[in-house]
């Protein structure tokens, strides 16, 4: 039976719902020995800021039970070199590319969106709002509905492309943030970014990460991510992209049933660099075997 | 991009070779064939469990006739699980990864290894002998005691070996830097791997003597292939761009000693 | 060397910092074949409400990566039968007993505290504020600093014993809640309760828990718990009790170094019912081996 | 409180006995000695890993001469890991747990098992034979096909066995309830364990015939010992106190059929 694996994020049509998550897939290139990038729904590249950032001192990563903490510190080449160097390479990959952006201020986000809007070969913009707002004493944009909506608004106004806003899970009520950014006119919502966590080396009595606190990702956080996707999909009308611990085909199906239109694979890429491509193949087979003819039938079937 | 593979190898041997130290031989033709001394592999230790989650980086100890050999010490969950694996079982390897040792013609190749740091040096010694058979090579090995002088005989088959132990149970009673200082004179190229204080000592002596010195580093790694940006060490010199750091998995694990903060 | 393993929660002296967590240790009795209960710092019994509660329909528990979800629904015998039946048994156990309480309204909490204050054999009250406030449309008391402080206040006023307030981690800024309850005069803060999570059975396309959403516990949440303990211990002056995924002696030490005066063992009791007793022995040995003479030296040494 | 132990047993045997079905024999004197038919153990499958995290409940299949036997089907991670365990390894058991079958004198003991539900019935059959040697006993076993009639010979050694298969490959072509209906007449006591639709059918027939009927249930369990309150089933009849539910691990796993909602 011919099945239709494609899904739509607003006007953006993806061949299938399997994307890769920002910061876990480099600029795509590293994975070419293991994955046919053009077979993926899309790839999301490492977060880009206005200026180059060195990132945090080491140690930057540590393993935890079924998860890992990272405090990379948003190391990146900055938007100029991204456009001149990286995008040239990325355009040769044959993948649908989503560019993830981050800023310290509304102005940063505005300028990033404007700069990228002229660049060819970008399918959509994903806005990371888990970053600290320097003007507001370092409170993350994503923890306040008003700030989150403002970021969403400035990026939407500067972008002719679909805008995905990526939510932080470190909030009391994720649905309030989700509704706020929906109102601001974004195309879709992706969630979750990492949970804030910590680990201590008891031999040295020092935190294991130089940054003290880091972001928890991997299978450990899957139940929290799935719950938030379910909650958000219950209250918004725009597409939701599920992220958090997704490793197996079953995980992909769970997130879609909970209401996700597409999913992003993060930490799992480190464990098995071929996993995203394997999930594309597995997803098609799943649809065939389960007698569903379209991917869209799966979306939110727990909600109904 | 250099060739990299995700390869399911068959375990041919997994045995104790020293205190808490094991050697695993794996049939993995593709990775073995592409491997260069100083490179490493990321080893899947968890089977279908998500704890431990990440692969573990291990240096390539030998790479001959389709067989890749690892030398590893049990320090935690992952290496313990590896030691439980049996002959005949499969193990998933990702590699070869990173930038290994650079071989240039030199008057005297000096390999300086401490503890588990000997792991990548055997492959290096064999390559030097194979590719630069006429050049002089000396291998200096250190350990806490004679039992910690790992796979000594394997090195002795390749080149002359000098040893130092902390407790004097074999060779020089003292640090390997003292051995290096005493025994090596004249121009040389140093290749070193071992505990970080040892490498610092070796690098500083090398700087003093004007010896080129390559060091092989370890950091925590999530991906091993340049995707996570987790495995940083700081570059020598101050820089506030993203170039302040290098990545051990991609820019290393072998660096010129002067290139990075040790 | 003689070591002093004891710690103080206000006026309450515990022989050592190892406690068991509410809802994971029954009323203590079940564990008598495996643990000498009098060797523990204290045990915390299953949460008690004013009236008996049947709890949620099954399935109530499901395993996740390095964790589990539960939606027990606060099943308990109610405070009357707790006092007449359970307390009689509990007094024979030889353990220091902390009674965990929960309510739907401020009045519930007030009355529970008053009723228990006359009962012999209780070392302290622990107040679970992760429950929905029925008057406020079901928003959990623990997610709002004002509501949390009000609950703390009514219980403190009714209790002649130490009052521990147990925080919910499902909040944007745990330090705000912690400061609010400290102001209200509680003796100590315990954290964390479970993270809200979900799992879906893809064969039936239904949530795995009848209650849809449940509480995530176990090693998976340890990094989040440790981070929150560290954050709270940095801002309050009262003792903090660390909870969340604690399984090994290393975990105990990590939490104490992060600022916990004591810890509670939860899900780990299910995996190894003897674990709490083993940790008491291990903790003493750790102090001896590490050359520290008192448990209190460990507390918060990462903060200093 | 009944005696319960946390016991490290030595694996004496771990072998395939049917489709995806394994039998593990473990030397565990304390638990074996205390065990009653219908009780279960919680088995640690995860070693030092926290994934899988929880113990797995498995019925006691046999308990003789210090040796406890389990019969299990590979359905997920935990049971798969169990099947990888080798003779000579240790396995941690918690038990014996729960309330087993109640043995009363009766004219005719009828044991009705489907699929893996046969696991607790072998121990029961042996106990009936040992303790009530003069009473009549019939064992009815069902499965999808002849291969799924597990450990049939073991049952045949104890008492007469009648079988039914869904595909007719052995015994009656049809459901085990049909077999029960056809073959058993007169007063009897029913003990049943198997898939939930089967137990429902058996219990309803028993009610009809006025046979006392004990059913052995399965639910998700975290602790197996009454501490988590996770393993509920609803009591027959409506009740809005905490008595609305019973706990399979403590009040069961064996219940009078009339006592609970099947
Ligand atoms: C490029 C490279 C090559 C290596 N080659 C070898 C080798 O040939 N033989 C060998 O025995 N070891 C080698 N190591 C170190 C090895 O990777 C770690 O010992 C191993 O990952 C520990 O895993 P574990 O699960 O047993 O320990 P864990 O339980 O993960 O940790 C135990 C302890 O080891 C430390 N540790 C964990 N991972 C690393 C790491 N990646 N680097 C440094 N310390 C770590 C932890 O901080 C902790 O203190 C190498 C590391 C790198 C980066
Ligand atoms: C009292 C009792 C006695 C049992 N006796 C036996 C026995 O003798 N032989 C046997 O093979 N099995 C028995 N079971 C079922 C057995 O516990 C499960 O098959 C096992 O826990 C599955 O573990 P897993 O890690 O392989 O599967 P998982 O990966 O945990 O789950 C795989 C599937 O099995 C289901 N499952 C998981 N745990 C349970 C559970 N506790 N009860 C029911 N379904 C579950 C899950 O919902 C899932 O669909 C018994 C269960 C109980 C409660
Ligand atoms: C090492 C690492 C780096 C990350 N960098 C970014 C980033 O730059 N921008 C971003 O929006 N998310 C970043 N994330 C978050 C992931 O995209 C993803 O939201 C999170 O890891 C949860 O998914 P997972 O559990 O599948 O990894 C990063 C995650 C990791 C592990
Ligand atoms: C089955 C179960 C029941 C629980 N019941 C309660 C409860 O009644 N009251 C309460 O305050 N916390 C309850 N908790 C939360 C635990 O006390 C603890 O805060 C949480 O599980 C995190 O610790 P852990 O990861 O060590 O389990 C329960 C947890 C579990 C797993
Ligand atoms: S380990 Fe991931 S970039 Fe080096
Ligand atoms: S399984 Fe925990 S109470 Fe029954």
């Amino acid at each position: 039976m011919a099945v239709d694996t494609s899904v739509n994020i607003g006007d953006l049509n993806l061949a299938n719902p399997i994307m890769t998550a920002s910061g876990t897939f480099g600029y795509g290139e590293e994975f070419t020995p293991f994955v046919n990038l053009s077979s993926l729904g899309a790839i999301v590249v490492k977060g880009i800021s206005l200026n180059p950032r060195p990132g945090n001192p080491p140690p930057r990563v540590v393993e935890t039970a079924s998860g890992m903490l990272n405090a990379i510190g948003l190391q990146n080449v900055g938007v100029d070199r991204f456009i001149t160097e990286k995008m040239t390479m990325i355009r040769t990959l044959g993948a649908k590319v989503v560019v993830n952006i981050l800023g310290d201020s509304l102005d940063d986000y505005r300028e990033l969106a404007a700069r990228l809007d002229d660049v060819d070969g970008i399918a959509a913009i994903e806005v990371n709002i888990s970053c600290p707002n320097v003007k507001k004493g370092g409170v993350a944009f994503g923890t306040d509905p008003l700030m989150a909506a403002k970021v969403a608004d400035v990026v939407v106004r500067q972008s002719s492309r679909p805008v995905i806003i990526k939510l932080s899970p470190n909030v009391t009520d994720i649905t309030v943030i989700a509704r706020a950014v929906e109102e601001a006119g974004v195309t879709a919502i992706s969630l979750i970014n990492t949970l804030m966590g910590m680990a201590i080396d008891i031999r040295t009595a020092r935190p294991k990460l130089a940054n003290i606190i880091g972001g928890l990702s991997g299978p450990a956080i899957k139940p929290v991510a799935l719950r938030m996707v379910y909650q958000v999909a219950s209250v918004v009308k725009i597409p939701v992209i599920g992220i958090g611990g997704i490793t197996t085909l079953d995980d992909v199906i769970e997130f879609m049933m909970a209401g996700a239109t597409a999913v992003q694979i993060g930490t799992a890429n480190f464990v098995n660099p071929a996993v995203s491509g394997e999930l594309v193949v597995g997803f098609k087979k799943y649809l065939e075997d389960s007698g569903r003819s379209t991917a869209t039938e799966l979306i939110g079937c727990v909600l109904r | 991009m250099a060739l990299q593979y995700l390869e399911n190898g068959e375990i041919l041997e997994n045995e104790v070779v020293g205190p808490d130290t094991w050697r695993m031989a794996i049939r993995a033709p593709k990775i073995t064939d592409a491997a260069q001394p100083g490179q490493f592999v990321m080893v899947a230790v968890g089977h279908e469990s998500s704890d431990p989650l990440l692969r573990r980086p291990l240096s390539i100890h030998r790479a001959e006739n389709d067989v890749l050999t690892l030398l590893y010490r049990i320090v935690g969950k992952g290496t313990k699980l590896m030691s439980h694996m049996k002959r005949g079982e499969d193990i998933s390897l990702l590699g070869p990864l990173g930038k290994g040792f650079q071989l240039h013609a030199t008057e005297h190749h000096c390999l300086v290894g401490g503890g588990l740091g000997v792991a990548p040096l055997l492959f290096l010694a064999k390559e030097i002998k194979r590719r630069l058979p006429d050049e002089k090579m000396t291998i200096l090995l250190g350990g806490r005691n004679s039992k910690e002088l790992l796979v000594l005989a394997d090195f002795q088959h390749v080149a002359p070996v000098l040893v130092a132990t902390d407790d004097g149970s074999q060779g020089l009673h003292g640090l390997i830097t003292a051995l290096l200082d005493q025994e090596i004179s004249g121009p040389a190229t140093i290749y070193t791997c071992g505990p970080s204080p040892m490498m610092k000592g070796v690098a500083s002596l090398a700087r003093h003597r004007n010896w080129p010195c390559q060091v092989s580093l370890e950091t925590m790694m999530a991906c091993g292939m340049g995707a996570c940006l987790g495995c940083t060490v700081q570059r020598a010199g101050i820089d506030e761009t993203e170039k302040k750091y290098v990545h051990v998995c991609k820019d290393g694990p072998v660096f010129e000693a002067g290139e990075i903060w040790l």
Side-chain angles (χ1 to χ4, degrees), chain A, chain B:
Chain A
M1 195 180 67
V3 294
D4 181 2
T5 57
S6 74
V7 295
N8 290 316
I9 305 292
D11 293 339
L12 177 65
N13 182 266
L14 305 181
N16 59 66
I18 311 296
M19 307 170 64
T20 58
S22 179
T24 67
F25 210 67
Y27 295 109
E29 195 180 20
E30 293 82 0
F31 288 82
T32 51
F34 312 108
V35 183
N36 172 359
L37 299 189
S38 65
S39 78
L40 301 177
I43 69 172
V44 185
V45 296
K46 176 77 192 156
I48 301 297
S49 55
L50 218 43
N51 299 311
R53 294 189 184 213
N56 290 327
R60 290 181 172 188
V61 293
V62 56
E63 189 176 282
T64 65
S66 295
M68 62 175 279
L69 289 166
N70 88 77
I72 305 301
L74 303 166
Q75 176 186 342
N76 78 94
V77 297
V79 72
D80 288 337
R81 279 182 48 211
F82 174 74
I83 293 172
T84 54
E85 294 169 24
K86 301 291 176 183
M87 272 311 297
T88 317
M89 176 280 296
I90 288 172
R91 275 187 289 260
T92 68
L93 296 174
K96 240 172 210 160
V97 177
V98 177
V99 175
N100 180 286
I101 61 171
L102 62 112
D104 289 335
S105 65
L106 281 181
D107 288 341
D108 278 13
Y109 283 106
R110 183 182 296 114
E111 194 172 336
L112 277 162
R115 296 286 304 277
L116 290 166
D117 209 46
D118 302 329
V119 179
D120 273 353
I122 297 176
I125 299 293
E126 182 179 64
V127 190
N128 179 357
I129 56 169
S130 299
C131 329
N133 180 344
V134 281
K135 291 217 178 114
K136 295 272 159 114
V139 176
F141 286 99
T143 57
D144 179 87
L146 277 178
M147 287 200 296
K150 275 191 190 151
V151 176
D153 181 69
V154 299
V155 178
V156 167
R157 282 175 199 278
Q158 295 298 324
S159 299
S160 54
R161 302 201 175 92
V163 173
I164 302 162
I165 199 141
K166 180 167 178 180
L167 303 190
S168 163
N170 302 294
V171 298
T172 306
D173 187 348
I174 192 83
T175 64
V176 175
I177 317 275
R179 280 215 208 83
V181 298
E182 181 183 34
E183 291 253 305
V186 299
T187 312
I189 291 171
S190 61
L191 77 166
I192 60 176
N193 213 313
T194 53
L195 283 167
M196 280 161 61
M198 180 175 173
I200 290 172
D201 185 337
I202 64 166
R203 287 165 310 173
T204 59
R206 299 301 317 149
K208 285 192 179 169
L209 296 173
N211 192 51
I212 303 178
I213 288 175
L216 183 64
S217 65
I221 69 169
K222 197 191 92 177
V224 175
L226 191 71
R227 182 260 298 180
M228 289 190 167
V229 165
Y230 172 84
Q231 289 178 316
V232 168
S234 310
V235 301
V236 301
K237 293 195 185 61
I238 53 178
V240 172
I241 301 171
I243 322 173
I246 300 175
T247 309
T248 66
L249 185 65
D250 285 15
D251 296 338
V252 172
I253 309 299
E254 276 193 75
F255 274 84
M256 293 188 71
M257 287 181 165
T261 296
V263 297
Q264 292 180 12
I265 315 303
T267 302
N269 292 306
F270 303 155
V271 180
N272 173 9
V275 68
S276 55
E278 291 170 7
L279 290 174
V280 169
V281 175
F283 183 73
K284 178 147 185 280
K285 189 164 180 316
Y286 169 84
L287 283 188
E288 286 164 0
D289 294 350
S290 67
R292 300 184 203 254
S293 52
T294 65
T296 50
E297 286 169 47
L298 277 177
I299 301 167
C301 63
V302 163
L303 298 166
R304 293 187 285 264
Chain B
M1 179 161 317
L3 287 176
Q4 288 175 356
Y5 305 96
L6 197 53
E7 191 170 18
N8 264 328
E10 184 197 338
I11 299 174
L12 302 177
E13 172 200 296
N14 192 18
E15 56 174 27
V16 179
V17 295
D20 278 334
T21 309
W22 293 60
R23 183 171 53 200
M24 185 186 277
I26 306 157
R27 186 186 314 283
K30 287 190 242 164
I31 297 178
T32 305
D33 196 51
Q36 298 295 326
Q39 288 189 303
F40 65 101
V41 288
M42 293 290 283
V43 181
V45 294
H47 274 297
E48 282 157 83
S49 169
S50 63
D51 177 45
L53 180 68
L54 300 168
R55 288 169 182 264
R56 300 302 195 247
L58 292 174
S59 303
I60 299 174
H61 180 52
R62 301 170 67 150
E64 294 152 22
N65 307 324
D66 291 354
V67 179
L68 195 87
T69 306
L70 308 173
L71 186 75
Y72 63 99
R73 174 154 296 168
I74 300 182
V75 298
K77 249 185 214 178
T79 43
K80 182 163 216 174
L81 279 170
M82 272 187 75
S83 74
H84 292 163
M85 294 182 181
K86 300 265 180 317
R87 188 140 68 107
E89 287 180 32
D90 273 9
I91 186 166
S92 165
L93 304 175
L94 171 66
L97 299 166
K99 204 170 101 327
F101 294 102
Q102 303 298 310
L103 288 196
H104 305 294
T106 171
E107 321 246 329
H108 191 174
H109 299 274
C110 283
L111 282 58
V112 186
L116 251 293
V118 304
L121 297 184
L122 186 62
F123 187 14
L124 174 64
K126 289 182 176 229
E127 274 296 285
I128 292 174
K129 189 168 173 185
R130 194 176 65 83
R131 285 165 49 187
L132 306 165
D134 303 327
E135 298 190 4
K136 185 170 172 198
M137 167 162 47
T138 307
I139 298 166
L140 293 87
L141 301 180
R144 262 176 296 183
N145 53 52
S146 62
K147 284 193 190 146
E148 302 252 332
L149 294 169
L150 299 165
V151 295
L152 190 56
D154 291 344
F155 281 100
Q156 285 164 334
H157 281 129
V158 187
V161 177
L162 301 169
V163 307
T165 52
D166 293 356
D167 69 351
S169 52
Q170 194 168 343
L172 179 84
H173 186 164
L175 293 180
I176 198 165
T177 36
L179 190 68
L180 183 65
D181 196 16
Q182 284 168 30
E183 301 290 332
I184 309 299
S185 49
T189 296
I190 310 289
Y191 311 84
T192 185
C193 184
S196 133
M198 181 204 104
M199 288 200 288
K200 260 188 218 166
V202 170
S204 116
L205 182 65
R207 199 171 48 243
H208 213 75
R209 299 275 199 99
N210 249 323
W211 291 328
C213 178
Q214 299 178 31
V215 296
S216 176
L217 301 188
E218 293 188 4
T219 53
M220 298 299 292
M221 290 187 173
C223 73
M225 50 186 279
C228 74
L229 308 185
C231 59
T232 31
V233 293
Q234 199 178 326
R235 210 187 274 276
I238 304 295
D239 182 343
E240 276 310 315
T241 71
E242 95 294 347
K243 290 189 173 153
K244 181 173 177 185
Y245 298 108
V246 288
H247 295 280
V248 173
C249 76
K250 222 179 159 173
D251 306 318
V254 179
F255 295 90
E256 292 291 336
E259 202 184 332
I260 35 105
W261 270 95
L262 266 180

